[in-house]
Each structure stands twice: as structure tokens, then as C-alpha cells.
Amino acid sequence: MPPPALYDQVRRLRQESPDGLPPGRGFDLPADLPADVPAGLRTDSPAGLPSESSESRLSRREMAGAVREALNPLPEDPATLHRRFAELGVRGRHRNLIRSAVYALPLPADEHATARALARQLTRTGSTVPAATAGLALLARLGEPEDVPYLSTLGLLRSLTGPAVQALDALDRRSAAVLWLVTSVSRGELRPLVRALGAGDDRTVRSELVAFRAEPRFLGATTARRIAEAARLPDLLAEHPADPALLARAARLLVRMGCASDDTTELLTYREAPAVYETVVTRAGLLPPTVEQHATLLSLAPDLSSGPGALLDWPSGCRESLLASLGRQLAEPSWTATARPGLDPKDRAGLDLGDRTGLDLGDRTGLDLGDRAGLDPGDPAGLGPEGPADVARRLRGGWIRRTGRRPFTRPAAPDRGLRVEIVAGDPMDRAPVETRILVDGRPLVPAVFAHGPAVSPEELLDEGLLRAGQEPRRVRLAEAWCCEGCCGALHVTIRRDGDQVVWEDWRRPPPPGSRGPAPELPVLRFDATAYDAEIARAEADRSWAWPARTVARLIKAGLVERPELLSRWDARRGWISTGHEEPDTAQVHFWYQPGLGAGRPEGDPLVFRWTVPDDGTPPEAQAGAALRRLAEEDPKGYSRVSGGTRKRAEELGYTWPFDD
């Protein structure tokens, strides 16, 4: 009896599932199903077949060569490919090598029909993961609409989800998005929406779309994009033209797709983004003027003026028109009043406590209820105890007042040359502060670097790194979210050449999914006089900063000038900025090693963190008080361990705060 096809097995698993969806991240391959070698080729002592031990000794390069040998020439029938894979030791764990080899196969047009027929046999009757993977990879190149149902089913198998989604992305973006969500989203908050999408229940999709909590921990950029694709967001908005909750959710999905704290290429990948932007902005008057909705709409403006939204395929003048319209909307008195300081802390600025399109008052800010974002329990401002909604309203209100008209007063399409924009995002989205570089009106970093945001102004501007001198200087403009050592960074060399400033010798990692080096970027030349003036303007701009951020900058500057404030305590300066989850606090990190101050450090260091809450006094006074305290008191006595090892902490007599 021939082994069962994977496709038939997944259909059976789906029928047995209570809601037709796989648990967690996809169905596991049944234990009694051959994952790698068809039953007819498996024996206790397989003559001519490589053993697991010999096959495991092959290097990755050798294994890639074996995969290419199995696929070239492409066989005319599945049995031949099954046999080749088995003979060469190609297993399910080599599926990425299989995909790469299939994508690189030369396939002349006169061979497309034969290759497509083989792919359909492999996906519909293939009984092993390697064979099915080869079929899916071929359909990513040659698939047609009739293949969509088979791909959507086969992709429910965990080991085949990736190639199935990739094949579907080329054929049917909605089906690809549904499959991705069904197999990638396991959080309970999103499962009702995922179930409705998987079942094709359009009526329930709308209600669940506006019901789930859309805060960053539930809604990353990729999830936001896939939800918009799976829900057919433009069609939903067209069917519900007077639905403020749906409109608010559409705006929120756009914000999350473009958020600098995640993969900003997701916004560029979303083909319907311009249409959804236009709908949201033109219908913005339907939204209630609350702090939350103000923050959402205002977050769209920097994306359109200096972020990834500016790189979308816009009709001439459309982006500029939308920015102007958005600016007029937010300038209306009912909207500007939402960010007015000094409101009664009990005032939720019109937030409905049951409003599922906005903040969850149980914890939609991601802040600990007992934390108050680092505020002094004595609350010198006299506002009384704050709940999560009060914290969110206050932080967002301050951000709205600082950001205000900035995205609308800067030119949407400036003359040729360099422009530097410092953008601080919605504090409730934990967005980083970016030093955005625009060249001829186009944002540079999201156009050429997909792995992370532009670096902070403290790194790029406070250190004077963009200034051009006679000596070339290598400058890091952006860094991957993980770290530079993992996924790279964007570097450029800056030098002065007579009356010009030159940016050249770019270095960056390949784009995600690329199998070759990143394309070479062109040399950029700027008029030196205009360049110097723009850098000086950007360095002097502090209007974006909030008090705690200024406190952190001043403390760092003080420690750079007077390193002995820490060295006397056997410590040295570490990372100093505002807290990601506590933006109203300055976070001072320092390294401690016994003997460091005397130049004879002993053992491994510990990292300490000192949290300095904003007490409402001028930042200069707060920073001065912090520096005086460092001069007078050992900071280890009022800081907590935040890095190092448990063993070292215990050796030095400190409590290790983490559960290992």
C-alpha cells in the first residue's frame, strides 16, 4: 500500500479539529507518517541509502550540492524525486536548502507546464516533507489560482507553513495572510479573530477586528499587515462607510505597520496602504476627539512625511494633500483640547471604559499598576493617584503638545539635498526616537535598510557624527533591532571634498530573504554650505525632547565630563536614556568591578540600573541633583542589579533580581 499523502493527512487532521484550525502553530506531522523516506524505500538495512550518521557528517555546502543534484534535471514524476532524495540523504530538515535550490533552478518557458504538473503531483500526492517542499517551492514560481486551496491546506502542517505562505503570497495575498495568522498567532486575545478569518465568516470578522486589544504586545507590524490583508480591510471600510470603530482600527493597523519599533518594511509590503491611508484621513472627522484617537492620527503624520509611508507608490500630490488634510483636522479646537494640560485626572478625555478600539483600562499601556511610570508616590504635581488610563492620557498629551504641528510644518517634498528630522513616536507604542535622514525628500533608512530603525539623536547628533571634516568618518545610521552583531547595521563614510560633502562606501546586510549581497548604493554629494547649516539646525533642535529625556541627556553629559563621579565607586558609565516602558524616568546604567577605580579591576562586572523619576522640577535641576548624589553617595546603594550573572552578584553580596 502506498504511503498516505501529506495533503490527505492534513485534511483529516482539520476535520478532526473542533474548529477546523490547528492548535498553536500548525499541525504536527503524525507520528506514524514517514517524514523523509517513502515506505517503499525504507528497510531495516537499506542497501545503497545513506545512514543518518553518514548523512549528518555532510557539511551544509555538501548537502546543498546533494539537493541540487536531486533536482537537476527536474524529474517528470514524483517517484523519481522521492527516490533521488532518499538516495542522497535529503531529509525534512533540509527544506530551506530545497527551497533555495528550486528558486535557483533554470526553468525555460517551454518547461513551465511540465514543472507545474510535477509540482501539483508533489503537493497533492507527495508523502514526505522534502517532496512536498519541492512542490510548494515550484508553485511559488509557477502556481495558478486553482492551486490556492491545496496550498492553504498543506500549509497547515507546521513543517510546510513557510513555503506554503510564500507560494500563496504570489497567488492570493488574502489566503496567504489567513494561513500565516492561523499558524503564527497563538495569543488568546487574537484567536477569535483568527477563527473568524479561517472560517471566512465576514460578519464576525468585523466585530472581532474592532474587539481585540491593539497594543504593541499583541499587534506587531507583521501581524497588523496580515490582519489587514486577511480581513480585506479596504472592502470592509467601503462596506461600512460610517463606522468610527472600524475606522479607528484601520488607523491603528497602519500605525503598527509603520511603527519604528518593529519591521517598517511591512507597511511597504502592504499593497493597499495608500488606499487605506486615504480612507482614514478623509473620514477622520468620524472619530471622537480623544487623546487616544489624537495620538493615533498624529502618529500617521510622521510616517507620511518622513517615514516609510513616504515611500509608498502615491499618485502625484496625494500624499501632500493627505498630510494637509490631517493637519487641518487635528488643528480643530475639539482636537487640540484633548491634549490641554491640567485636566482633572479623573477625566478620561472621552474614553469609553468599554471601548474595545482603544485602551484597555485593565492594562492597555503595558505599565505595572503599581508603578505609575516611575512617578514619586508623593506626586508633587498634586494630581493624586494615577491609574493606567491617567498615565496614558498624561504621557500622550505631553507627546501631542510637543509633536504638535511638526509633521505638518516641515516640507513634504523639499528641494534637493539633505534634511534631518528627529521623530519621537507615541510613548504608549514604545517607539524609539529616530534621527531620520531624508535625501531629496525621501527617507533613507527604510528605503535601504529593512532590519531596524534609524539611530537616536543622542548617538548621531549629540556626538557630532554627521559633521563633515577633511578626515573620512564612518558613521552608523541605523542598527538592527536584535543588535548589529546579529543582523547588521547601515554604515556610511562621510567626508568633505572642497565645497561638497560626500557620503560613500555604504555597508549594510542583504535584504531579508535575499540570497546574495545587498546591491551597492550610490555615492551622495551635498552642497557643503547647505549641509553644514542643516546639521547645525538639527543639533540645536530640542523641541522633540520631554523632561525625562533631557534629564538623561544632561546626566550623561555630566558623567562624560566628570567620569570620576563613578570611578570613585569602582564604576563606569553604561547606557543612559529614558525607560522603554517608563518614559517618564531617566535610566542610568553603570558597570561595577571591584578595583576599577584604581585601574586594577577584579573579576567579571555587574550592571546596575538607577531609575531617576521625573519630579516635575526643571530638568537642569533634576540632573544637577542626580550628579551631586553620585558625588556624595555610592550609587550601588540606591540602584538595582540589572545585568551580569547570578553567581557574580552573590559573590559580591547583591541580590540577583531575575528568575533564571
Side-chain angles (χ1 to χ4, degrees):
M1 176 181 293
L6 293 182
Y7 173 76
D8 293 333
Q9 288 290 318
V10 177
R11 287 184 63 194
R12 179 181 60 79
L13 291 171
R14 190 171 189 177
Q15 292 168 357
E16 294 172 354
S17 176
D19 54 8
L21 298 179
R25 297 187 176 275
F27 292 119
D28 287 317
L29 195 67
D32 59 347
L33 195 65
D36 298 318
V37 182
L41 294 178
R42 289 183 292 122
T43 65
D44 292 335
S45 301
L49 296 184
S51 66
E52 284 288 331
S53 59
S54 63
E55 174 248 318
S56 63
R57 288 195 295 268
L58 293 179
S59 68
R60 180 177 175 83
R61 182 187 296 269
E62 291 170 333
M63 199 66 241
V67 170
R68 289 193 296 271
E69 182 181 345
L71 290 165
N72 195 11
L74 202 62
E76 295 184 359
D77 62 279
T80 300
L81 186 60
H82 276 297
R83 186 175 63 256
R84 289 181 188 173
F85 279 158
E87 291 172 348
L88 292 167
V90 179
R91 305 288 188 250
R93 62 177 173 274
H94 302 129
R95 53 188 179 273
N96 288 337
L97 294 177
I98 295 171
R99 292 165 67 182
S100 297
V102 170
Y103 299 149
L105 275 178
L107 287 177
D110 60 354
E111 296 180 11
H112 284 188
T114 301
R116 186 181 299 112
L118 173 65
R120 287 173 176 164
Q121 289 180 287
L122 291 170
T123 52
R124 300 176 193 187
T125 67
S127 58
T128 67
V129 169
T133 300
L136 290 169
L138 282 168
L139 290 179
R141 298 179 61 179
L142 304 171
E144 295 176 337
E146 71 174 74
D147 300 306
V148 169
Y150 297 93
L151 298 173
S152 297
T153 297
L154 198 56
L156 294 174
L157 194 63
R158 183 183 306 210
S159 56
L160 296 176
T161 297
V165 169
Q166 189 165 12
L168 284 168
D169 266 329
L171 295 171
D172 185 333
R173 295 296 284 266
R174 180 184 181 276
S175 295
V178 171
L179 176 59
W180 187 91
L181 290 166
V182 164
T183 55
S184 300
V185 174
S186 57
R187 281 189 174 274
E189 293 82 359
L190 288 174
R191 291 302 285 183
L193 173 61
V194 170
R195 279 195 294 269
L197 290 167
D201 185 350
D202 292 340
R203 180 174 299 181
T204 305
V205 164
R206 184 266 162 210
S207 60
E208 294 297 345
L209 180 60
V210 302
F212 75 88
R213 296 190 289 180
E215 59 184 277
R217 58 178 173 159
F218 299 131
L219 191 62
T222 303
T223 303
R225 194 249 301 178
R226 291 299 192 181
I227 287 174
E229 291 173 338
R232 297 190 183 100
L233 189 56
D235 294 343
L236 266 183
L237 290 168
E239 294 166 7
H240 303 274
D243 187 336
L246 181 61
L247 189 69
R249 185 44 48 93
R252 182 64 179 155
L253 290 173
L254 286 175
V255 169
R256 293 304 303 154
M257 279 186 244
C259 185
S261 61
D262 215 320
D263 185 354
T264 54
T265 61
E266 293 297 338
L267 182 63
L268 302 179
T269 304
Y270 182 44
R271 298 173 181 173
E272 287 79 24
V276 177
Y277 268 118
E278 186 169 5
T279 300
V280 167
V281 173
T282 56
R283 297 183 192 172
L286 294 174
L287 298 176
T290 67
V291 168
E292 185 203 357
Q293 302 302 350
H294 195 154
T296 297
L297 292 178
L298 186 56
S299 294
L300 297 177
D303 284 347
L304 287 170
S305 64
S306 63
L311 298 173
L312 295 169
D313 187 14
W314 293 100
S316 178
C318 181
R319 178 174 65 94
E320 295 80 0
S321 176
L322 291 178
L323 265 174
S325 177
L326 190 57
R328 289 191 298 270
Q329 181 72 46
L330 295 181
E332 292 184 1
S334 60
W335 286 90
T336 59
T338 63
R340 188 181 304 136
L343 293 177
D344 184 338
K346 296 184 177 62
D347 177 15
R348 298 295 193 268
L351 283 175
D352 179 357
L353 302 189
D355 178 11
R356 300 302 298 277
T357 69
L359 292 171
D360 175 311
L361 301 184
D363 181 17
R364 294 217 177 162
T365 66
L367 299 174
D368 182 349
L369 300 184
D371 186 290
R372 303 292 193 274
L375 291 177
D376 184 340
D379 192 9
L383 294 177
E386 286 188 308
D390 301 313
V391 172
R393 189 196 62 79
R394 175 174 54 78
L395 293 178
R396 276 179 159 156
W399 172 70
I400 290 168
R401 292 192 298 274
R402 289 190 305 274
T403 304
R405 309 305 300 165
R406 287 171 62 94
F408 309 110
T409 55
R410 58 179 71 133
D415 294 334
R416 293 182 61 82
L418 180 85
R419 184 166 178 84
V420 180
E421 294 291 351
I422 304 171
V423 175
D426 180 352
M428 291 296 95
D429 270 345
R430 307 173 193 172
V433 181
E434 292 185 277
T435 309
R436 293 183 175 177
I437 306 295
L438 289 89
V439 178
D440 300 339
R442 289 177 61 82
L444 174 68
V445 169
V448 302
F449 184 74
H451 302 274
V455 300
S456 71
E458 289 91 347
E459 177 180 342
L460 205 55
L461 297 175
D462 289 359
E463 303 293 332
L465 297 182
L466 290 181
R467 299 174 190 173
Q470 297 302 324
E471 291 297 322
R473 173 191 288 138
R474 178 161 295 284
V475 178
R476 182 173 66 181
L477 300 178
E479 182 182 12
W481 267 110
C482 42
C483 69
E484 181 173 354
C486 180
C487 290
L490 174 66
H491 290 263
V492 68
T493 297
I494 300 176
R495 64 179 177 87
R496 188 176 294 271
D497 182 17
D499 61 355
Q500 292 186 323
V501 172
V502 181
W503 286 23
E504 61 186 358
D505 191 19
W506 298 88
R507 297 186 184 178
R508 58 175 177 152
S514 173
R515 292 183 291 277
E520 193 168 323
L521 295 176
V523 175
L524 300 179
R525 291 182 174 270
F526 307 101
D527 175 80
T529 301
Y531 181 96
D532 292 342
E534 176 61 13
I535 299 305
R537 181 202 65 78
E539 290 179 349
D541 180 14
R542 302 288 179 189
S543 61
W544 58 270
W546 60 101
R549 191 82 175 199
T550 301
V551 171
R553 176 176 61 84
L554 294 174
I555 291 175
K556 178 181 177 181
L559 291 175
V560 169
E561 184 178 346
R562 301 168 61 194
E564 70 276 5
L565 293 180
L566 283 174
S567 63
R568 66 176 301 187
W569 310 113
D570 287 335
R572 59 184 172 87
R573 173 173 54 89
W575 179 81
I576 301 175
S577 189
T578 45
H580 295 297
E581 296 187 6
E582 302 170 317
D584 261 6
T585 67
Q587 305 280 337
V588 180
H589 293 76
F590 59 90
W591 299 81
Y592 165 62
Q593 276 180 291
L596 182 66
R600 296 185 297 274
E602 301 172 4
D604 295 329
L606 283 180
V607 182
F608 284 77
R609 182 183 68 212
W610 176 29
T611 298
V612 183
D614 178 11
D615 62 10
T617 61
E620 294 76 9
Q622 295 185 57
L627 293 170
R628 285 192 298 274
R629 189 175 187 187
L630 286 171
E632 298 167 359
E633 299 179 52
D634 186 342
K636 297 187 292 296
Y638 47 86
S639 305
R640 61 176 295 180
V641 174
S642 63
T645 66
R646 176 188 292 274
K647 179 181 178 182
R648 186 58 170 159
E650 292 174 348
E651 287 175 353
L652 296 174
Y654 296 99
T655 301
W656 184 250
F658 308 109
D659 294 327
D660 294 340

